[in-house]
mmCIF file of all heavy atoms in Angstrom:
data_model
loop_
_atom_site.group_PDB
_atom_site.id
_atom_site.type_symbol
_atom_site.label_atom_id
_atom_site.label_comp_id
_atom_site.label_asym_id
_atom_site.label_seq_id
_atom_site.Cartn_x
_atom_site.Cartn_y
_atom_site.Cartn_z
ATOM 1 N N LYS R 67 97.721 122.627 99.099
ATOM 2 C CA LYS R 67 97.270 122.945 100.443
ATOM 3 C C LYS R 67 95.749 122.981 100.498
ATOM 4 O O LYS R 67 95.091 123.365 99.531
ATOM 5 C CB LYS R 67 97.841 124.286 100.882
ATOM 6 C CG LYS R 67 99.366 124.301 100.979
ATOM 7 C CD LYS R 67 99.866 125.659 101.422
ATOM 8 C CE LYS R 67 101.387 125.672 101.530
ATOM 9 N NZ LYS R 67 101.886 127.007 101.951
ATOM 10 N N PRO R 68 95.165 122.619 101.646
ATOM 11 C CA PRO R 68 93.707 122.682 101.765
ATOM 12 C C PRO R 68 93.214 124.124 101.827
ATOM 13 O O PRO R 68 93.845 124.985 102.450
ATOM 14 C CB PRO R 68 93.424 121.941 103.079
ATOM 15 C CG PRO R 68 94.689 122.052 103.859
ATOM 16 C CD PRO R 68 95.795 122.060 102.855
ATOM 17 N N ILE R 69 92.091 124.370 101.167
ATOM 18 C CA ILE R 69 91.425 125.668 101.216
ATOM 19 C C ILE R 69 90.245 125.534 102.164
ATOM 20 O O ILE R 69 89.403 124.644 101.999
ATOM 21 C CB ILE R 69 90.934 126.086 99.814
ATOM 22 C CG1 ILE R 69 92.116 126.189 98.841
ATOM 23 C CG2 ILE R 69 90.180 127.409 99.877
ATOM 24 C CD1 ILE R 69 91.694 126.357 97.394
ATOM 25 N N TYR R 70 90.163 126.401 103.145
ATOM 26 C CA TYR R 70 89.078 126.332 104.131
ATOM 27 C C TYR R 70 87.926 127.212 103.658
ATOM 28 O O TYR R 70 87.661 128.283 104.194
ATOM 29 C CB TYR R 70 89.598 126.743 105.507
ATOM 30 C CG TYR R 70 90.757 125.898 105.964
ATOM 31 C CD1 TYR R 70 92.023 126.446 106.151
ATOM 32 C CD2 TYR R 70 90.600 124.530 106.182
ATOM 33 C CE1 TYR R 70 93.090 125.655 106.563
ATOM 34 C CE2 TYR R 70 91.659 123.729 106.581
ATOM 35 C CZ TYR R 70 92.900 124.300 106.765
ATOM 36 O OH TYR R 70 93.952 123.513 107.166
ATOM 37 N N ASP R 71 87.242 126.721 102.644
ATOM 38 C CA ASP R 71 86.190 127.497 101.976
ATOM 39 C C ASP R 71 84.829 127.190 102.582
ATOM 40 O O ASP R 71 83.888 126.808 101.873
ATOM 41 C CB ASP R 71 86.204 127.222 100.468
ATOM 42 C CG ASP R 71 86.136 125.746 100.130
ATOM 43 O OD1 ASP R 71 86.454 124.914 100.998
ATOM 44 O OD2 ASP R 71 85.755 125.420 98.994
ATOM 45 N N PHE R 72 84.731 127.321 103.903
ATOM 46 C CA PHE R 72 83.466 127.133 104.600
ATOM 47 C C PHE R 72 83.490 128.053 105.823
ATOM 48 O O PHE R 72 84.556 128.520 106.245
ATOM 49 C CB PHE R 72 83.254 125.670 105.015
ATOM 50 C CG PHE R 72 84.486 124.960 105.492
ATOM 51 C CD1 PHE R 72 85.030 125.234 106.747
ATOM 52 C CD2 PHE R 72 85.126 124.024 104.695
ATOM 53 C CE1 PHE R 72 86.168 124.583 107.203
ATOM 54 C CE2 PHE R 72 86.279 123.362 105.137
ATOM 55 C CZ PHE R 72 86.790 123.647 106.400
ATOM 56 N N PHE R 73 82.328 128.302 106.366
ATOM 57 C CA PHE R 73 82.212 129.321 107.406
ATOM 58 C C PHE R 73 81.353 128.817 108.567
ATOM 59 O O PHE R 73 80.427 128.039 108.371
ATOM 60 C CB PHE R 73 81.590 130.601 106.824
ATOM 61 C CG PHE R 73 82.323 131.132 105.630
ATOM 62 C CD1 PHE R 73 81.933 130.800 104.337
ATOM 63 C CD2 PHE R 73 83.428 131.952 105.802
ATOM 64 C CE1 PHE R 73 82.614 131.273 103.237
ATOM 65 C CE2 PHE R 73 84.128 132.432 104.703
ATOM 66 C CZ PHE R 73 83.720 132.098 103.423
ATOM 67 N N GLY R 74 81.696 129.286 109.773
ATOM 68 C CA GLY R 74 80.866 129.023 110.923
ATOM 69 C C GLY R 74 81.057 127.668 111.574
ATOM 70 O O GLY R 74 80.208 127.236 112.347
ATOM 71 N N PHE R 75 82.168 126.989 111.291
ATOM 72 C CA PHE R 75 82.426 125.677 111.860
ATOM 73 C C PHE R 75 83.414 125.787 113.017
ATOM 74 O O PHE R 75 84.092 126.806 113.180
ATOM 75 C CB PHE R 75 82.956 124.730 110.783
ATOM 76 C CG PHE R 75 81.933 124.366 109.746
ATOM 77 C CD1 PHE R 75 81.849 125.050 108.541
ATOM 78 C CD2 PHE R 75 81.029 123.340 109.985
ATOM 79 C CE1 PHE R 75 80.894 124.711 107.596
ATOM 80 C CE2 PHE R 75 80.069 122.997 109.051
ATOM 81 C CZ PHE R 75 80.009 123.686 107.852
ATOM 82 N N PRO R 76 83.537 124.742 113.856
ATOM 83 C CA PRO R 76 84.485 124.771 114.973
ATOM 84 C C PRO R 76 85.924 124.933 114.490
ATOM 85 O O PRO R 76 86.254 124.657 113.334
ATOM 86 C CB PRO R 76 84.278 123.410 115.640
ATOM 87 C CG PRO R 76 82.933 122.959 115.213
ATOM 88 C CD PRO R 76 82.728 123.513 113.846
ATOM 89 N N ALA R 77 86.789 125.362 115.424
ATOM 90 C CA ALA R 77 88.190 125.627 115.079
ATOM 91 C C ALA R 77 88.879 124.415 114.471
ATOM 92 O O ALA R 77 89.757 124.544 113.603
ATOM 93 C CB ALA R 77 88.945 126.092 116.328
ATOM 94 N N SER R 78 88.480 123.213 114.899
ATOM 95 C CA SER R 78 89.112 121.993 114.377
ATOM 96 C C SER R 78 88.947 121.859 112.864
ATOM 97 O O SER R 78 89.796 121.267 112.190
ATOM 98 C CB SER R 78 88.537 120.751 115.064
ATOM 99 O OG SER R 78 87.127 120.675 114.871
ATOM 100 N N ALA R 79 87.869 122.420 112.333
ATOM 101 C CA ALA R 79 87.624 122.329 110.891
ATOM 102 C C ALA R 79 88.668 123.100 110.097
ATOM 103 O O ALA R 79 88.952 122.757 108.947
ATOM 104 C CB ALA R 79 86.230 122.853 110.568
ATOM 105 N N TYR R 80 89.261 124.126 110.727
ATOM 106 C CA TYR R 80 90.239 124.964 110.034
ATOM 107 C C TYR R 80 91.669 124.496 110.299
ATOM 108 O O TYR R 80 92.622 125.192 109.966
ATOM 109 C CB TYR R 80 90.030 126.420 110.454
ATOM 110 C CG TYR R 80 88.613 126.868 110.176
ATOM 111 C CD1 TYR R 80 87.642 126.808 111.173
ATOM 112 C CD2 TYR R 80 88.234 127.279 108.909
ATOM 113 C CE1 TYR R 80 86.328 127.172 110.917
ATOM 114 C CE2 TYR R 80 86.917 127.649 108.635
ATOM 115 C CZ TYR R 80 85.971 127.585 109.648
ATOM 116 O OH TYR R 80 84.673 127.940 109.382
ATOM 117 N N GLN R 81 91.777 123.311 110.873
ATOM 118 C CA GLN R 81 93.082 122.691 111.074
ATOM 119 C C GLN R 81 93.200 121.377 110.300
ATOM 120 O O GLN R 81 94.170 120.645 110.448
ATOM 121 C CB GLN R 81 93.296 122.437 112.571
ATOM 122 C CG GLN R 81 93.317 123.721 113.389
ATOM 123 C CD GLN R 81 93.288 123.467 114.887
ATOM 124 O OE1 GLN R 81 93.350 122.321 115.335
ATOM 125 N NE2 GLN R 81 93.176 124.527 115.669
ATOM 126 N N LEU R 82 92.202 121.103 109.475
ATOM 127 C CA LEU R 82 92.254 119.898 108.659
ATOM 128 C C LEU R 82 93.485 119.915 107.769
ATOM 129 O O LEU R 82 93.844 120.949 107.190
ATOM 130 C CB LEU R 82 91.008 119.809 107.771
ATOM 131 C CG LEU R 82 89.723 119.283 108.413
ATOM 132 C CD1 LEU R 82 88.553 119.464 107.455
ATOM 133 C CD2 LEU R 82 89.873 117.820 108.787
ATOM 134 N N SER R 83 94.111 118.785 107.652
ATOM 135 C CA SER R 83 95.295 118.671 106.803
ATOM 136 C C SER R 83 95.132 117.480 105.869
ATOM 137 O O SER R 83 94.755 116.387 106.311
ATOM 138 C CB SER R 83 96.549 118.498 107.665
ATOM 139 O OG SER R 83 97.684 118.294 106.846
ATOM 140 N N TYR R 84 95.380 117.717 104.601
ATOM 141 C CA TYR R 84 95.436 116.618 103.646
ATOM 142 C C TYR R 84 96.596 116.936 102.693
ATOM 143 O O TYR R 84 96.414 117.625 101.681
ATOM 144 C CB TYR R 84 94.123 116.471 102.879
ATOM 145 C CG TYR R 84 94.079 115.181 102.057
ATOM 146 C CD1 TYR R 84 93.854 113.954 102.674
ATOM 147 C CD2 TYR R 84 94.290 115.202 100.686
ATOM 148 C CE1 TYR R 84 93.848 112.775 101.950
ATOM 149 C CE2 TYR R 84 94.270 114.023 99.946
ATOM 150 C CZ TYR R 84 94.047 112.817 100.582
ATOM 151 O OH TYR R 84 94.023 111.647 99.864
ATOM 152 N N PRO R 85 97.804 116.484 103.042
ATOM 153 C CA PRO R 85 99.008 116.910 102.317
ATOM 154 C C PRO R 85 99.180 116.209 100.975
ATOM 155 O O PRO R 85 100.174 115.492 100.740
ATOM 156 C CB PRO R 85 100.128 116.552 103.301
ATOM 157 C CG PRO R 85 99.597 115.369 104.052
ATOM 158 C CD PRO R 85 98.120 115.613 104.193
ATOM 159 N N ALA R 86 98.236 116.422 100.110
ATOM 160 C CA ALA R 86 98.311 115.792 98.786
ATOM 161 C C ALA R 86 99.383 116.462 97.941
ATOM 162 O O ALA R 86 99.533 117.688 97.962
ATOM 163 C CB ALA R 86 96.960 115.894 98.089
ATOM 164 N N ARG R 87 100.091 115.663 97.196
ATOM 165 C CA ARG R 87 101.036 116.234 96.242
ATOM 166 C C ARG R 87 100.363 116.353 94.888
ATOM 167 O O ARG R 87 99.529 115.531 94.504
ATOM 168 C CB ARG R 87 102.301 115.395 96.138
ATOM 169 C CG ARG R 87 102.098 113.964 95.677
ATOM 170 C CD ARG R 87 103.406 113.194 95.744
ATOM 171 N NE ARG R 87 103.238 111.793 95.412
ATOM 172 C CZ ARG R 87 103.375 111.297 94.179
ATOM 173 N NH1 ARG R 87 103.686 112.093 93.179
ATOM 174 N NH2 ARG R 87 103.208 109.999 93.958
ATOM 175 N N GLY R 88 100.711 117.406 94.193
ATOM 176 C CA GLY R 88 100.189 117.593 92.852
ATOM 177 C C GLY R 88 100.992 116.802 91.835
ATOM 178 O O GLY R 88 101.985 116.139 92.166
ATOM 179 N N LEU R 89 100.563 116.877 90.595
ATOM 180 C CA LEU R 89 101.259 116.179 89.515
ATOM 181 C C LEU R 89 101.195 117.068 88.272
ATOM 182 O O LEU R 89 100.294 116.940 87.439
ATOM 183 C CB LEU R 89 100.609 114.816 89.251
ATOM 184 C CG LEU R 89 101.335 113.879 88.290
ATOM 185 C CD1 LEU R 89 102.751 113.594 88.776
ATOM 186 C CD2 LEU R 89 100.568 112.572 88.120
ATOM 187 N N PRO R 90 102.134 118.024 88.160
ATOM 188 C CA PRO R 90 102.099 118.953 87.025
ATOM 189 C C PRO R 90 102.068 118.257 85.667
ATOM 190 O O PRO R 90 101.434 118.741 84.728
ATOM 191 C CB PRO R 90 103.391 119.765 87.204
ATOM 192 C CG PRO R 90 103.670 119.695 88.674
ATOM 193 C CD PRO R 90 103.226 118.319 89.097
ATOM 194 N N GLU R 91 102.744 117.085 85.566
ATOM 195 C CA GLU R 91 102.740 116.367 84.289
ATOM 196 C C GLU R 91 101.326 115.968 83.895
ATOM 197 O O GLU R 91 100.955 116.019 82.720
ATOM 198 C CB GLU R 91 103.630 115.133 84.391
ATOM 199 C CG GLU R 91 105.103 115.424 84.633
ATOM 200 C CD GLU R 91 105.448 115.542 86.121
ATOM 201 O OE1 GLU R 91 104.508 115.576 86.950
ATOM 202 O OE2 GLU R 91 106.639 115.612 86.447
ATOM 203 N N LEU R 92 100.539 115.548 84.880
ATOM 204 C CA LEU R 92 99.156 115.182 84.591
ATOM 205 C C LEU R 92 98.338 116.410 84.225
ATOM 206 O O LEU R 92 97.522 116.360 83.299
ATOM 207 C CB LEU R 92 98.536 114.460 85.790
ATOM 208 C CG LEU R 92 97.045 114.102 85.655
ATOM 209 C CD1 LEU R 92 96.790 113.207 84.445
ATOM 210 C CD2 LEU R 92 96.546 113.430 86.938
ATOM 211 N N ALA R 93 98.534 117.507 84.940
ATOM 212 C CA ALA R 93 97.803 118.736 84.616
ATOM 213 C C ALA R 93 98.062 119.163 83.171
ATOM 214 O O ALA R 93 97.132 119.525 82.436
ATOM 215 C CB ALA R 93 98.196 119.850 85.583
ATOM 216 N N ASN R 94 99.313 119.095 82.756
ATOM 217 C CA ASN R 94 99.646 119.455 81.374
ATOM 218 C C ASN R 94 99.062 118.465 80.381
ATOM 219 O O ASN R 94 98.600 118.851 79.300
ATOM 220 C CB ASN R 94 101.166 119.546 81.216
ATOM 221 C CG ASN R 94 101.727 120.842 81.755
ATOM 222 O OD1 ASN R 94 101.635 121.889 81.110
ATOM 223 N ND2 ASN R 94 102.315 120.783 82.940
ATOM 224 N N HIS R 95 99.070 117.201 80.748
ATOM 225 C CA HIS R 95 98.484 116.165 79.891
ATOM 226 C C HIS R 95 96.979 116.391 79.721
ATOM 227 O O HIS R 95 96.439 116.288 78.614
ATOM 228 C CB HIS R 95 98.771 114.800 80.500
ATOM 229 C CG HIS R 95 98.195 113.641 79.751
ATOM 230 N ND1 HIS R 95 98.288 113.496 78.391
ATOM 231 C CD2 HIS R 95 97.504 112.550 80.196
ATOM 232 C CE1 HIS R 95 97.696 112.373 78.010
ATOM 233 N NE2 HIS R 95 97.198 111.789 79.096
ATOM 234 N N VAL R 96 96.294 116.710 80.827
ATOM 235 C CA VAL R 96 94.854 116.983 80.749
ATOM 236 C C VAL R 96 94.596 118.198 79.876
ATOM 237 O O VAL R 96 93.677 118.198 79.040
ATOM 238 C CB VAL R 96 94.257 117.175 82.156
ATOM 239 C CG1 VAL R 96 92.815 117.664 82.072
ATOM 240 C CG2 VAL R 96 94.325 115.864 82.938
ATOM 241 N N ARG R 97 95.383 119.239 80.046
ATOM 242 C CA ARG R 97 95.200 120.421 79.189
ATOM 243 C C ARG R 97 95.366 120.060 77.717
ATOM 244 O O ARG R 97 94.600 120.517 76.859
ATOM 245 C CB ARG R 97 96.189 121.521 79.575
ATOM 246 C CG ARG R 97 95.976 122.805 78.753
ATOM 247 C CD ARG R 97 96.886 123.919 79.165
ATOM 248 N NE ARG R 97 98.293 123.603 78.938
ATOM 249 C CZ ARG R 97 99.281 124.490 79.068
ATOM 250 N NH1 ARG R 97 99.016 125.736 79.429
ATOM 251 N NH2 ARG R 97 100.530 124.126 78.847
ATOM 252 N N ASP R 98 96.347 119.218 77.409
ATOM 253 C CA ASP R 98 96.536 118.800 76.017
ATOM 254 C C ASP R 98 95.316 118.031 75.504
ATOM 255 O O ASP R 98 94.884 118.231 74.351
ATOM 256 C CB ASP R 98 97.784 117.930 75.895
ATOM 257 C CG ASP R 98 99.070 118.714 76.100
ATOM 258 O OD1 ASP R 98 99.027 119.967 76.039
ATOM 259 O OD2 ASP R 98 100.116 118.078 76.338
ATOM 260 N N LEU R 99 94.762 117.145 76.321
ATOM 261 C CA LEU R 99 93.567 116.405 75.918
ATOM 262 C C LEU R 99 92.407 117.354 75.631
ATOM 263 O O LEU R 99 91.679 117.192 74.644
ATOM 264 C CB LEU R 99 93.158 115.424 77.017
ATOM 265 C CG LEU R 99 94.002 114.175 77.219
ATOM 266 C CD1 LEU R 99 93.504 113.395 78.434
ATOM 267 C CD2 LEU R 99 93.968 113.285 75.973
#
Side-chain angles (χ1 to χ4, degrees):
K67 297 180 180 179
I69 300 170
Y70 303 115
D71 53 340
F72 39 74
F73 305 94
F75 291 96
S78 58
Y80 303 95
Q81 297 170 5
L82 280 171
S83 176
Y84 190 76
R87 60 186 175 92
L89 188 58
E91 296 88 350
L92 176 59
N94 281 282
H95 178 46
V96 171
R97 183 177 64 171
D98 290 344
L99 287 175

